[in-house]
Amino acid sequence: AVETGDDSDAVMARALAGGANLRRVSQRVVGVSLDETTTDEDVQDLLSWFAAPGQTLPAVADLAAGAQPMIPLELQRSSPYLTHPVFNAHHSETEMLPITWPEFACTHPFAPPDQLEGWHLLEQQLCGWLCEATGYSGVSLQPNAGSQGEYAGLLAIRAWHASRGELHRDVCLIPESAHGTNPASAQMAGMTVVVTRCDAAGNVDLDDLRAKCEQHGPRLAAVMITYPSTHGVFESRIGELCELVHRHGGRVYVDGANM
């Protein structure tokens, strides 16, 4: 955070004209964020935006020349690393995806809304397509991983129960064939995990699920179903399963990791 006094507006304007967003902390203070992607050229640009017109600027290279390394000499790497060819012969599959393009990946989460109109259009289109494909009434793009999706979904279920005065519902039924993140997410959401059996073919054992629903009825919060299942099929009795859990006051979380 830099005290810019009466020059705050001018500093912000120069930065915006130079293609960067600074953070307006207050009328007299402007904030800057730097990370490992920041280059010497970026720092040089910052100096020019904060400087008064015509002011002589130091060269970043000269400033860096006198800087001491922050890693102690005895901790600095001296030997080669990752020398096996496998570490260099294969590259990430994400290089084939647009998410790695700077036009997609480099937008700052706090960028002004008027700079994000294209992003908003992409989000609206994708949410619309997903709702149309799944039949859901709404879709959130916030979770960035399956495990985060589980956690977000279970928190939504807990909030739904709380809104009905039933926060005591804390039991989450999870078939033994589920992904390992399922019970972990339920634990993190403050739920008690109860494992239900699967039959010899890997399908959810509805008799065992029914018994667990009856056993934990007043405390039943949710069931987590992997759909299609880990062994690659859609549960043929999924409608019956959902109706059973709903009848006992629980909600159904669908894990679409295999979709």
Side-chain angles (χ1 to χ4, degrees):
V2 181
E3 293 187 6
T4 45
D6 295 333
D7 295 328
S8 299
D9 289 340
V11 170
M12 297 284 291
R14 287 194 292 268
L16 189 60
N21 294 307
L22 302 184
R23 185 177 76 259
R24 189 62 176 266
V25 179
S26 69
Q27 282 296 108
R28 304 176 65 82
V29 178
V30 172
V32 178
S33 297
L34 307 177
D35 62 15
E36 66 277 10
T37 67
T38 304
T39 65
D40 289 353
E41 290 76 17
D42 294 331
V43 177
Q44 195 71 55
D45 288 339
L46 278 171
L47 290 174
S48 69
W49 300 330
F50 279 98
Q55 182 178 353
T56 301
L57 300 177
V60 173
D62 294 339
L63 295 174
Q68 297 298 315
M70 296 183 66
I71 301 177
L73 184 62
E74 64 271 18
L75 297 181
Q76 294 182 29
R77 186 185 296 278
S78 59
S79 60
Y81 62 98
L82 299 180
T83 57
H84 192 283
V86 72
F87 292 115
N88 300 287
H90 305 286
H91 299 279
S92 171
E93 64 177 346
T94 59
E95 291 182 0
M96 299 183 293
L97 304 174
I99 193 60
T100 62
W101 300 349
E103 295 85 351
F104 284 83
C106 293
T107 297
H108 196 284
F110 296 147
D114 61 0
Q115 297 179 16
L116 301 175
E117 293 180 2
W119 269 91
H120 291 155
L121 179 60
L122 288 171
E123 292 172 352
Q124 292 164 8
Q125 287 180 334
L126 180 55
C127 284
W129 293 339
L130 290 173
C131 286
E132 185 176 355
T134 61
Y136 293 145
S137 59
V139 171
S140 168
L141 302 180
Q142 183 63 33
N144 281 325
S147 56
Q148 295 174 9
E150 296 166 9
Y151 183 56
L154 292 176
L155 288 181
I157 289 174
R158 289 221 69 183
W160 186 81
H161 287 308
S163 72
R164 296 161 53 85
E166 296 188 325
L167 195 54
H168 60 275
R169 291 187 175 272
D170 62 350
V171 169
C172 183
L173 304 181
I174 302 179
E176 58 188 358
S177 62
H179 292 99
T181 54
N182 282 190
S185 297
Q187 291 274 6
M188 289 186 64
M191 295 184 180
T192 299
V193 174
V194 173
V195 178
T196 65
R197 290 198 298 265
C198 293
D199 62 22
N203 302 300
V204 174
D205 185 331
L206 277 189
D207 290 336
D208 186 57
L209 185 76
R210 184 178 295 105
K212 297 291 182 15
C213 284
E214 293 173 354
Q215 178 184 353
H216 301 285
R219 292 181 55 200
L220 181 61
V223 63
M224 298 185 79
I225 297 297
T226 306
Y227 193 72
S229 61
T230 304
H231 61 286
V233 301
F234 290 93
E235 300 276 353
S236 60
R237 301 174 69 184
I238 187 69
E240 185 180 348
L241 182 152
C242 292
E243 194 278 331
L244 173 63
V245 174
H246 288 161
R247 192 166 68 245
H248 286 83
R251 300 289 90 187
V252 180
Y253 175 84
V254 179
D255 185 333
N258 301 313
M259 213 169 165

